[in-house]
Amino acid sequence: MKHNILFVDDEQAILDGIRTMMHSKRKEWKCHFASSGDQGLEILDTKAFDVVVADMRMPGMDGADFLSEVAKREPAAIRIILSGYSDTPALQKVTRVAHQFLSKPCSSDVIIETIRRVMEISSILGNEEIRTVVAKVNSLPVMPDLYIRLQKELDSPEPDIKVIGKIVEMDVGVTATILKVVNSSFFGFFGKVTSPARAVALLGTETVKGLILGALFISKIDLSAFPGYSVGRLWEHSLQTGYLAKTIAALESDDKEFMDECFLTGILHDVGKLLFVTKMDEIYNPVLECVRDVGGPIVSCEKELIGVDHAEVGAYLLGLWGFQKEIVEGVYRHHSPEMCEKGISHALVSHVANTLQHELTTYSEDYSFSTINEEFLAQSGLTGRLDLWREACREEWSKHEK
């Protein structure tokens, strides 16, 4: 079955160019073209689309307004914006409706590769209802106390970019949201940015302030539906897993980029849980009740009651937002590294770091956590490294405990 893709641009020459470049994919994709937002909506009413790509600057209905309508009519569709400018007001507007942003002019290879990648991630999450919920998410909420600290610093007469970066790094939701924005091709930064602090430095205080305060893009977490759930504990576990992942990565590689990617994978490995508790409380409450009754592990209760787990949900969101493949896979497979190639990988590092964090922190003796897949370590020739990793993580843990 072919996937339906809709392109909307008011410049006929650009549409013709896209039509030509998409010709090579005609066996896989059925492409449709519209020269205005209104025409695009008329086409959208005739069939369901998997991906919608729109130019930002169009007369009448601009790309952001058009994609906002797409989100209402076809919420599961993956929405991509094309734009030749990146001023803050435009950024504030498009970040609310687009999953990914591409800059104009854009090569055929970039457009095809972007569409191919977002089409591939549908295999991560088989539940169409949950895919639709995730596709509606344009940002993740922040812990209330950190939001207050962030707001206070951004509102100060001379905001400190380093302080802002540190606050961002301490929260799963704001880290994922800021990195989604900074890695868009709007800004033209060389390579992928994996450090939350560097992302803030690159964006600058005015852009960050505009996104967080001006556009009210990032909001505080509301956990009224989960009175007994501790997001603070989830935040602590995620951040600590990031530090442990970076520690393990440093023992196996001197590649700073790999270390930073493992740190980010560790921070984001449980982002699916944040999505569950903030966006899908009705279906997730029974999971938490199951955990309280049987003592975990939580991934087993998720699979039994929902059919999907937090690793799949988190990986789908990150893939949708354009995070690099290795980080998406690291989140996706942090409970099942054996599904990846043997050897050191983002998935294996996050798997081990996640498990060692649970070893080092006992919240309840009655709760059962997932264990390290030592059989896979043996197959990868890494059994002898586990004791070294464990000791290094204990040392790293003691630094953060002081």
Side-chain angles (χ1 to χ4, degrees):
M1 181 179 175
K2 290 185 179 180
H3 297 291
N4 283 320
I5 303 170
L6 175 62
F7 294 91
V8 182
D9 198 304
D10 67 300
E11 295 185 48
Q12 191 59 47
I14 291 178
L15 274 184
D16 291 342
I18 294 174
R19 192 190 305 269
T20 299
M21 73 172 70
M22 290 296 114
H23 186 69
S24 64
K25 307 299 292 182
R26 63 190 182 280
K27 292 183 179 179
E28 304 170 53
W29 303 341
K30 177 63 176 176
C31 295
H32 302 257
F33 304 89
S35 57
S36 69
D38 289 330
Q39 186 181 14
L41 293 179
E42 290 177 6
I43 295 174
L44 197 73
D45 287 337
T46 65
K47 57 179 57 66
F49 283 88
D50 301 288
V51 180
V52 179
V53 184
D55 180 42
M56 178 59 186
R57 182 172 289 177
M58 296 188 292
M61 184 186 301
D62 68 20
D65 291 335
F66 169 70
L67 289 185
S68 180
E69 283 298 315
V70 173
K72 295 174 186 175
R73 302 183 187 201
E74 195 70 49
I78 298 168
R79 303 179 295 277
I80 300 172
I81 198 83
L82 276 168
S83 180
Y85 64 113
S86 59
D87 56 275
T88 299
L91 182 63
Q92 291 175 4
K93 194 172 182 181
V94 299
T95 46
R96 288 181 171 275
V97 294
H99 295 119
Q100 293 192 38
F101 328 113
L102 297 176
S103 60
K104 294 173 67 177
C106 192
S107 72
S108 59
D109 289 343
V110 170
I111 292 178
I112 290 173
E113 177 62 14
T114 299
I115 294 174
R116 184 190 64 77
R117 282 191 59 195
V118 295
M119 295 302 303
E120 284 181 350
I121 63 168
S122 61
S123 62
I124 291 177
L125 190 57
N127 187 306
E128 187 174 347
E129 181 182 353
I130 292 179
R131 273 211 309 267
T132 300
V133 173
V134 176
K136 293 179 181 179
V137 176
N138 55 41
S139 67
L140 291 169
V142 59
M143 287 283 291
D145 57 336
L146 289 177
Y147 184 86
I148 292 169
R149 288 173 57 190
L150 194 55
Q151 187 177 42
K152 182 178 179 181
E153 187 62 37
L154 287 168
D155 274 337
S156 66
E158 295 183 13
D160 188 324
I161 200 74
K162 291 184 178 179
V163 172
I164 295 168
K166 281 293 183 185
I167 297 172
V168 168
E169 186 179 275
M170 293 169 65
D171 188 88
V172 176
V174 74
T175 287
T177 303
I178 290 293
L179 285 171
K180 170 195 175 184
V181 174
V182 79
N183 281 313
S184 71
S185 60
F186 267 16
F187 297 98
F189 297 134
F190 180 76
K192 285 289 185 180
V193 181
T194 55
S195 164
R198 177 161 169 72
V200 169
L202 288 170
L203 287 174
T205 54
E206 288 306 308
T207 299
V208 174
K209 186 173 182 177
L211 284 171
I212 295 175
L213 303 182
L216 297 177
F217 184 51
I218 297 175
S219 59
K220 291 179 285 187
I221 287 175
D222 177 12
L223 284 176
S224 56
F226 295 91
Y229 189 83
S230 174
V231 171
R233 189 172 292 173
L234 173 63
W235 162 76
E236 289 175 358
H237 167 67
S238 299
L239 186 61
Q240 290 163 359
T241 298
Y243 283 121
L244 299 187
K246 190 170 186 176
T247 298
I248 295 168
L251 291 172
E252 302 304 318
S253 172
D254 58 4
D255 184 344
K256 187 179 184 304
E257 187 174 330
F258 176 68
M259 296 178 214
D260 288 342
E261 290 169 2
C262 286
F263 174 60
L264 181 59
T265 305
I267 289 178
L268 298 178
H269 77 285
D270 274 349
V271 71
K273 290 181 182 177
L274 186 60
L275 269 172
F276 272 136
V277 300
T278 58
K279 306 296 182 181
M280 294 173 262
D281 55 289
E282 288 187 5
I283 68 169
Y284 207 58
N285 257 317
V287 171
L288 298 181
E289 291 174 7
C290 170
V291 172
R292 295 185 192 105
D293 291 340
V294 304
I298 196 168
V299 68
S300 299
C301 291
E302 290 169 344
K303 280 289 193 181
E304 179 183 344
L305 296 175
I306 305 176
V308 301
D309 61 42
H310 63 273
E312 295 164 343
V313 170
Y316 184 73
L317 177 75
L318 298 179
L320 203 59
W321 284 3
F323 278 70
Q324 66 197 80
K325 181 179 178 180
E326 294 82 2
I327 291 173
V328 173
E329 184 174 61
V331 171
Y332 183 32
R333 296 300 185 189
H334 75 270
H335 283 297
S336 54
E338 66 278 3
M339 300 301 293
C340 303
E341 291 185 7
K342 294 181 178 65
I344 290 294
S345 66
H346 298 70
L348 181 61
V349 171
S350 62
H351 167 71
V352 175
N354 172 54
T355 310
L356 291 180
Q357 195 281 339
H358 286 309
E359 283 187 13
L360 291 164
T361 304
T362 304
Y363 292 123
S364 171
E365 294 182 357
D366 297 327
Y367 187 82
S368 173
F369 294 103
S370 301
T371 58
I372 292 175
N373 188 332
E374 296 194 32
E375 182 179 349
F376 181 67
L377 285 184
Q379 293 171 357
S380 300
L382 294 167
T383 300
R385 306 296 290 172
L386 182 56
D387 287 341
L388 179 65
W389 296 341
R390 183 175 275 116
E391 183 56 35
C393 286
R394 283 198 188 100
E395 291 180 11
E396 178 65 25
W397 183 270
S398 65
K399 294 177 187 176
H400 293 280
E401 286 289 277
K402 292 176 181 177

